[in-house]
Amino acid sequence: MNVPNIRSSALRLAVVTSVGFTACTDAPTAPARLEISPLASRVSPRIHCDPDNAGISLPSGFCAVVVADLVMDGRAAAARHLVVTPSGDIFVAINSPGNRNPSSGIVGLRDTDGDGRADEQSRFSPGLGGSGIAWGEALLYFGANDRVLRFRLPAGRLTPIGEPEVVVSGLPNTGDHISKTVVLADGHQLFVNIGSASNSCQVANRQAQSPGRFPCPDLPVRAGVWMFDARGTNQTQGMGQHYATGLRNMVALDVNPVNGELYGVQHGRDMLFENWPQFFTVEDDAVLPSEEFVRISRGTNNGWPYCYFDDITEHRKVLAPEYGGDGTLTSGSQGINCSSYNQPLATFGAHWAPNGLHFYSGKQFPQRYRGGAFVAFHGGFDRAPLPNEGFNVMFVPMGANGSPSGSAEIFADGFAGSAGPLPATALHRPVGVTEGGDGSLYVSDDRGGRIYRIVYVGN
């Protein structure tokens, strides 16, 4: 793997220090728009990709530039999901893991000279971080761990007007999975994931031989996707619609513009061997519980915690050991039938940690990428004795019927910048993936605080 080039340009100094002083005025400089050719065969000569493609490997014809290396509170910022506005400004959510909030939860970035690198910055949402962010009609939606806020951001502004409105509050933010993703659909529907509080709904979470609770008390209030009125204020979880259930942790979430349906990539379960060594080897634990790419229709149930998908030996959903499974059974004494639950459209390696999903609607990239799905993987931590994998962006070609039209493939790789041990030595870990108005692809990284921009320049 290539080790990312550490640069000491004025841009890096500007990003690390207080560029926001100039960006926070009421009359900000108008952003320069990029000059992507109509044929998408090359970008403007003002865009100079990094000589080493920012340390990542890409398919032929693509290159990458580091937009910014963000620093927050004296360390690399935990950059999570990101959006790009029609004017080209970028807004990045800064995470609050374990409810440890950063000094600013949102960073705005602007490229005023069109070279692909940010040279202005703003910071807002003081003392409240989060993972989710969405943009629509001059409104910025921010998913903190326990609430969703809405900021007024008219065109041309890098900082919001006035105080944010509370769209929904009181969301669960304890236990294993507290990050919220927010996805805006048609300007009126706001989807929010609420992850499970545990690994597999055991009586004693993550403890050997502890049975699963049935029915799982998480399911009415967690482990699913809720839909709220995007224009509403001061909503509670109970005022939203429980859109889908049985989703362990659905951080990677997006609407496919081809059919208007919601999709996601689920974090699969952990600890098959640690908790149930009579049924699973340590190698089984490393590879069996797939990450599932699913279509999330209203009312669907993906089967967590009762089932998990094994695409290595069984190639189907099997009964979880907490509910009487042994790695081969698909039905249980409690009336559980794993074949009755929502099934994946595709699967990925166990413990790869999918955190970002985006359906490509631009025209800059070659035809084969249009309409397809990009998935950002944070990288594994629970694959011992096998090497941890992920730390990449995968591409899934999609057909007009809303299902994959081919096999998934690696699109961008080498983010970790290290041979291991991973994830401890990883320099960068992908989280968010989104698209700019010109069709460029943007990727965020919560280990090194880096924002990447990937463009197609042809051969």
Side-chain angles (χ1 to χ4, degrees), residues 248-271:
R248 180 177 178 270
N249 190 27
M250 193 59 71
V251 183
L253 200 65
D254 195 23
V255 170
N256 185 347
V258 171
N259 57 16
E261 293 194 57
L262 187 69
Y263 290 71
V265 191
Q266 177 180 249
H267 283 239
R269 60 160 299 152
D270 303 325
M271 306 187 76

Side-chain angles (χ1 to χ4, degrees), residues 57-410:
S57 60
L58 295 165
S60 177
F62 290 88
C63 67
V65 58
V66 175
V67 177
D69 281 327
L70 300 179
V71 171
M72 183 68 64
D73 302 321
R75 64 180 68 91
R80 299 286 284 185
H81 291 168
L82 72 170
V83 293
V84 183
T85 70
S87 63
D89 291 335
I90 305 167
F91 293 94
V92 186
I94 307 301
N95 201 21
S96 53
N99 293 311
R100 299 184 301 275
N101 284 296
S103 57
S104 297
I106 301 174
V107 173
L109 297 170
R110 174 170 292 166
D111 170 18
T112 62
D113 59 11
D115 68 352
R117 297 168 174 83
D119 43 45
E120 287 189 6
Q121 183 184 136
S122 66
R123 298 183 175 206
F124 51 101
S125 186
L128 181 65
S131 184
I133 202 163
W135 169 267
E137 299 180 12
L139 298 171
L140 186 70
Y141 294 82
F142 178 52
N145 292 339
D146 65 347
R147 75 196 79 170
V148 178
L149 302 179
R150 182 175 56 229
F151 295 87
R152 290 181 59 209
L153 264 169
R157 290 189 61 95
L158 206 57
T159 53
I161 294 176
E163 295 299 314
E165 296 179 298
V166 176
V167 180
V168 57
S169 62
L171 300 178
N173 68 333
T174 58
D176 283 7
H177 307 120
I178 62 176
S179 293
K180 304 297 185 290
T181 299
V182 292
V183 174
L184 188 65
D186 71 22
H188 298 283
Q189 297 175 325
L190 185 71
F191 294 104
V192 181
N193 79 295
I194 302 177
S196 67
S198 66
N199 173 43
S200 54
C201 206
Q202 293 173 281
V203 172
N205 185 33
R206 299 181 181 269
Q207 298 302 305
Q209 310 300 316
S210 179
R213 294 178 289 174
F214 186 85
C216 177
D218 263 14
L219 294 175
V221 292
R222 300 188 67 155
V225 174
W226 271 255
M227 186 174 69
F228 299 93
D229 179 3
R231 299 307 174 101
T233 56
N234 298 316
Q235 298 170 86
T236 64
Q237 184 178 359
M239 295 168 67
Q241 297 181 40
H242 193 173
Y243 192 80
T245 190
L247 298 163
R248 180 177 178 270
N249 190 27
M250 193 59 71
V251 183
L253 200 65
D254 195 23
V255 170
N256 185 347
V258 171
N259 57 16
E261 293 194 57
L262 187 69
Y263 290 71
V265 191
Q266 177 180 249
H267 283 239
R269 60 160 299 152
D270 303 325
M271 306 187 76
L272 288 175
F273 166 73
E274 293 92 334
N275 288 350
W276 307 97
Q278 67 268 44
F279 301 127
F280 303 98
T281 67
V282 65
E283 289 81 8
D284 291 335
D285 182 79
V287 301
L288 289 188
S290 301
E291 317 286 46
E292 301 178 45
F293 178 38
V294 296
R295 187 182 343 227
I296 307 173
S297 302
R298 186 191 298 268
T300 53
N301 186 334
N302 209 58
W304 181 90
Y306 309 130
C307 307
Y308 66 92
F309 199 92
D310 169 6
D311 206 16
I312 301 298
T313 59
E314 295 295 318
H315 308 290
R316 58 182 176 174
K317 282 195 173 174
V318 296
L319 191 66
E322 291 81 5
Y323 297 91
D326 62 359
T328 62
L329 295 173
T330 59
S331 299
S333 60
Q334 295 151 314
I336 300 168
N337 179 0
C338 295
S339 65
S340 68
Y341 295 117
N342 192 32
Q343 302 296 314
L345 302 170
T347 64
F348 299 97
H351 315 294
W352 279 24
N355 277 356
L357 172 65
H358 177 73
F359 289 93
Y360 188 78
S361 59
K363 296 182 179 179
Q364 182 192 136
F365 287 11
Q367 182 67 41
R368 66 180 300 267
Y369 291 99
R370 299 174 192 174
F374 288 96
V375 185
F377 289 94
H378 199 229
F381 71 95
D382 191 29
R383 292 177 60 91
L386 304 181
N388 280 312
E389 297 177 347
F391 309 94
N392 59 29
V393 176
M394 299 285 287
F395 173 72
V396 183
M398 298 291 291
N401 63 352
S403 294
S405 58
S407 299
E409 60 195 58
I410 293 177

